[in-house]
Structures are given as C-alpha cells and as structure tokens.
Amino acid sequence: MYNILNNLINIKEYSFIDVGSGKGKVLINNIINNYLYKNNIGIEIDKKLHDVALKNFESISSKFDISSIYLYNEDIL
C-alpha cells in the first residue's frame, strides 16, 4: 500500500492516522520502514493498550526518530 501511495502522492505532506491503534504496531512499522508521513497519529480508547503503545515507543526511541508520533488515549467520537 505504501509503495502505491508513494507513487501517486508525496506522503510526506500527509498524516497517517491509525484509529484503534492498540499497541502501536502499525505506527512502529511506519517508523522502522521509513514510511515518512508528516505525522503518525494513533488513537486508542483502551487505556491498557495505549499504555503498552507508549512503552513500545519508548523502547524504540533510542534507535528511531519518533518525533512524528502522536498517541492519544481518546474515544474517536
């Protein structure tokens, strides 16, 4: 999907929003694979999953630039 999008548009101008981001695996995949969206946003309603995501990003922060990651523990509605 990333390759198709990147050929059609400049994804660096867009934000990636993961609704129901859980433990953050999709967002971590974006960072590890250099899918360079302007922002990577995760929205998770479950507090426990959100906390796991925060820990997951903390664990990769020494190896990867996570400055474009924004995690929210909110109801999307």
Side-chain angles (χ1 to χ4, degrees), residues 9-75:
I9 60 173
N10 180 7
I11 66 166
K12 293 178 185 178
E13 296 178 11
Y14 294 89
S15 295
F16 180 89
I17 302 174
D18 185 7
V19 176
S21 57
K23 299 175 185 176
K25 290 180 182 181
V26 171
L27 299 174
I28 289 172
N29 185 57
N30 284 354
I31 297 298
I32 290 173
N33 290 300
N34 281 331
Y35 298 168
L36 301 175
Y37 296 92
K38 183 177 181 179
N39 297 301
N40 290 276
I41 301 166
I43 304 169
E44 177 55 54
I45 194 170
D46 186 287
K47 175 75 169 131
K48 290 179 184 179
L49 290 175
H50 174 73
D51 290 343
V52 171
L54 291 173
K55 289 178 184 175
N56 287 341
F57 280 100
E58 184 179 321
S59 71
I60 68 164
S61 65
S62 63
K63 295 180 183 178
F64 298 95
D65 177 13
I66 62 167
S67 63
S68 70
I69 298 289
Y70 301 93
L71 300 174
Y72 298 97
N73 180 215
E74 300 285 339
D75 184 338

